[in-house]
């Protein structure tokens, strides 16, 4: 039998530590500001080292990808060629969709491309294993962006800013299970709440749209605006499955317009009325 | 240098390594859980009380670095360190291979527990489709880098002193 360490009091110590951890968790969930500030402070202290490390490892990463990612790159190229051919074949449909979207957007007198935005570069996945459907970008509060702002590409909505530090931010992708956005079907004008499914490129509407509402396949959806955190009329995607046969609860499947693979740059949409000092 | 300073130095160095180099090294989307392995090894070398304290602060730093509520890892790491310490005291013989297997199991259990506690608190940290693969990959990667971390943690928590002399009798 192992000799007991005379100075060890593991049980009381462990209980005190667990109580402290639970207290911190509770206070954090109650929104105690100093705890957020502490976490942000730690990240801000580490930030210069991370930036330096990013700069130093960039060439190594590029070389690594060039050597070990060549096959993946070749396959990706082939996939894109097939995709390009398919897109050319669907050009007429796409043009019709674009025309429909533009017509509907012009009816509410807002052009999607007119939003003020800050361009951000994707740095990659955030540290740790808690980073599914999250990406890190290279701008923060110093550049005038804030938590909750919409993140888009030319194709449409990508996600929202989840956590904003001084010079880095985390983007919660639209496919994250916790992501929610108010959407409007451009033809029927029905509104609903879309949420991420955890599956690549797929959102789902489970509330808001009436059971008897006419929803067609490939119908375009945009953000509804209003009381939502996001500005209205940002393209979200197309209906993949309208679930027209639902008896009790309708579950409409949406294909996200923006491709979340192989992104390099994104745009953070700034509010229409910017506070003074914001770019 | 006192033991506390050495622990602080090891934790801060590990935090920077976790935030920089280790973030870049990913397999199947998984990365090394450096702070967790420090917590486990602190329990192994430092005993339950010292291990739990080191693990608590390792957890707090991990929580600060990641976008998770403060206290999540700090809640999981100390019991893990105490459990490892308790098992270590009950082991009659210790070989590198068995230590590695034990570390792999402890890391896997730790990541599972973090994911479970995260879900209890309303987080959805893992993609359910890749959960198992990601956890196992992270555990294997973490075990693979344990040797140098082991030396650093041993230096920090024991402070160059010989480990406690333990009297063990088989079968009692």
């Amino acid at each position: 039998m192992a000799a007991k360490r005379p100075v060890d009091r593991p049980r009381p110590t462990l209980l005190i530590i667990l109580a402290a951890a639970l207290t911190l968790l509770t206070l954090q969930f109650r929104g105690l500001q100093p705890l957020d500030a502490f976490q942000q402070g730690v990240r801000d202290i580490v930030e210069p080292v991370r930036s330096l490390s990013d700069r130093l490892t960039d060439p190594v990463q590029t070389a690594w990808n060039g050597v070990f990612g060549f096959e993946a790159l070749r396959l990706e190229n082939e996939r894109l060629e097939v995709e390009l051919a398919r897109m050319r074949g669907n050009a007429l449909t796409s043009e019709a969709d674009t025309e429909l979207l533009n017509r509907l957007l012009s009816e509410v007198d807002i052009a999607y491309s007119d939003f003020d935005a800050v361009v951000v570069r994707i740095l990659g996945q955030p540290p740790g294993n808690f980073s599914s459907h999250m990406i890190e970008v290279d701008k923060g509060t110093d550049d005038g962006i804030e938590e909750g702002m919409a993140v888009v590409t030319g194709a449409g909505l990508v996600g929202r800013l989840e956590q904003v530090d001084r010079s880095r931010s985390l983007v919660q992708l639209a496919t994250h299970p916790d992501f929610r956005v108010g959407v409007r079907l451009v033809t029927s004008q029905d509104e609903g709440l879309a949420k991420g499914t955890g599956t690549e490129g797929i959102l789902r509407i489970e509330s808001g749209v009436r059971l008897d509402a006419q929803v067609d396949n490939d119908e375009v959806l945009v953000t509804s605006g209003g009381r939502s955190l996001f500005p209205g009329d940002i393209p979200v995607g197309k209906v993949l499955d309208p679930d027209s046969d639902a008896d009790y609860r309708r579950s409409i499947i949406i294909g996200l317009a923006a491709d979340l693979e192989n992104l390099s740059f994104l745009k953070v949409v700034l509010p229409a009325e910017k506070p003074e000092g914001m770019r | 240098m006192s033991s506390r300073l050495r622990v602080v130095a090891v934790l801060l160095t590990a935090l920077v390594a976790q935030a920089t180099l280790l973030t870049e090294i990913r397999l199947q989307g998984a990365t090394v859980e450096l702070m967790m392995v420090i917590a486990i090894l602190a329990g192994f070398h430092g005993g339950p009380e010292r291990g739990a304290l080191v693990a608590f602060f390792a957890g707090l730093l991990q929580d600060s670095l990641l976008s998770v509520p403060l206290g999540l890892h700090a809640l999981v790491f100390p019991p893990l360190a105490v459990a490892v310490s308790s098992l270590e005291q009950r082991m009659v013989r210790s070989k590198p291979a068995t230590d590695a297997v034990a570390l792999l199991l402890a890391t896997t259990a730790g990541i599972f527990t973090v994911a479970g506690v995260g879900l209890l608190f309303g987080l959805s940290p893992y993609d359910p489709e890749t959960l198992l693969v990601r956890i196992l990959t992270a555990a294997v990667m973490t075990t693979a880098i344990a040797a140098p971390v082991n030396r650093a943690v041993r230096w920090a928590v024991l402070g160059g002193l010989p480990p406690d002399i333990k009297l063990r009798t088989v079968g009692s």
Side-chain angles (χ1 to χ4, degrees), chain A:
Chain A
M1 188 179 151
K4 193 173 182 181
R5 290 174 173 89
V7 292
D8 272 357
R9 297 178 302 275
R11 206 167 289 173
T13 306
L14 185 60
L15 286 175
I16 291 168
I17 284 174
L18 291 181
L22 280 170
T23 306
L24 285 172
L25 269 172
T26 310
L27 291 174
Q28 178 101 42
F29 276 104
R30 284 172 176 267
L32 191 73
Q33 291 298 323
L35 294 183
D36 287 336
F38 170 76
Q39 284 186 297
Q40 190 166 344
V42 171
R43 287 194 296 270
D44 284 342
I45 289 169
V46 178
E47 160 56 27
V49 188
R50 293 191 68 193
S51 295
L52 181 67
S53 166
D54 283 345
R55 277 202 292 275
L56 290 176
T57 55
D58 257 1
V60 180
Q61 265 189 312
T62 308
W64 178 276
N65 291 337
V67 175
F68 296 101
F70 179 76
E71 184 61 17
L73 201 63
R74 192 179 62 77
L75 291 172
E76 177 67 10
N77 194 36
E78 283 177 7
R79 188 188 68 78
L80 287 173
E81 281 177 5
V82 172
E83 180 78 1
L84 182 63
R86 192 179 66 79
M87 293 299 285
R88 280 177 178 152
N90 291 339
L92 285 175
T93 311
S94 300
E95 281 169 19
D97 288 339
T98 307
E99 194 178 311
L100 175 65
L101 178 64
N102 287 337
R103 183 168 58 78
L104 289 163
L105 293 181
S106 66
E107 281 177 15
V108 289
D109 203 25
I110 295 176
Y112 167 54
S113 56
D114 281 353
F115 291 126
D116 287 330
V118 173
V119 176
V120 295
R121 186 169 69 91
I122 295 175
L123 296 171
Q125 275 188 281
N129 287 303
F130 281 84
S131 49
S132 291
H133 306 288
M134 303 276 272
I135 51 174
E136 200 169 28
V137 296
D138 70 339
K139 298 266 169 68
T141 50
D142 288 353
D143 304 283
I145 61 178
E146 295 170 3
E147 279 180 25
M149 288 180 172
V151 181
V152 301
T153 65
L157 186 70
V158 167
R160 67 186 282 271
L161 287 179
E162 169 73 7
Q163 177 187 290
V164 183
D165 293 336
R166 285 185 61 192
S167 53
R168 281 175 192 250
S169 305
L170 286 185
V171 177
Q172 184 185 59
L173 296 177
T175 50
H176 193 288
D178 290 342
F179 183 85
R180 303 281 187 278
V181 60
V183 293
R184 188 174 71 246
L185 294 146
V186 292
T187 308
S188 63
Q189 293 293 302
D190 264 294
E191 291 188 0
L193 186 68
K195 61 180 188 179
T197 58
T199 306
E200 201 67 51
I202 302 292
L203 301 183
R204 177 178 284 138
I205 303 176
E206 287 185 333
S207 60
V209 180
R210 289 171 290 118
L211 274 175
D212 59 346
Q214 174 68 34
V215 181
D216 298 322
N217 275 323
D218 290 338
E219 185 167 347
V220 177
L221 295 105
V222 294
T223 52
S224 57
R227 285 180 298 172
S228 169
L229 284 171
F230 296 160
D233 305 310
I234 298 173
V236 175
K238 284 180 180 179
V239 173
L240 295 181
D241 178 5
D243 194 21
S244 304
D245 301 329
D247 293 327
Y248 173 64
R249 190 177 183 183
R250 197 164 187 177
S251 177
I252 300 172
I253 306 292
I254 306 167
L256 205 60
D259 184 2
L260 303 184
E261 293 286 327
N262 306 312
L263 293 173
S264 296
F265 292 92
L266 301 169
K267 286 197 283 189
V268 177
V269 179
L270 299 175
E273 293 178 8
K274 294 175 289 182
E276 280 186 22
M278 190 181 275
R279 287 197 302 174

Side-chain angles (χ1 to χ4, degrees), chain B residues 64-81:
Chain B
S64 302
L65 182 64
L66 310 182
S67 57
V68 296
L70 194 67
L72 179 66
H73 287 88
L75 185 66
V76 174
F77 286 2
L80 196 61

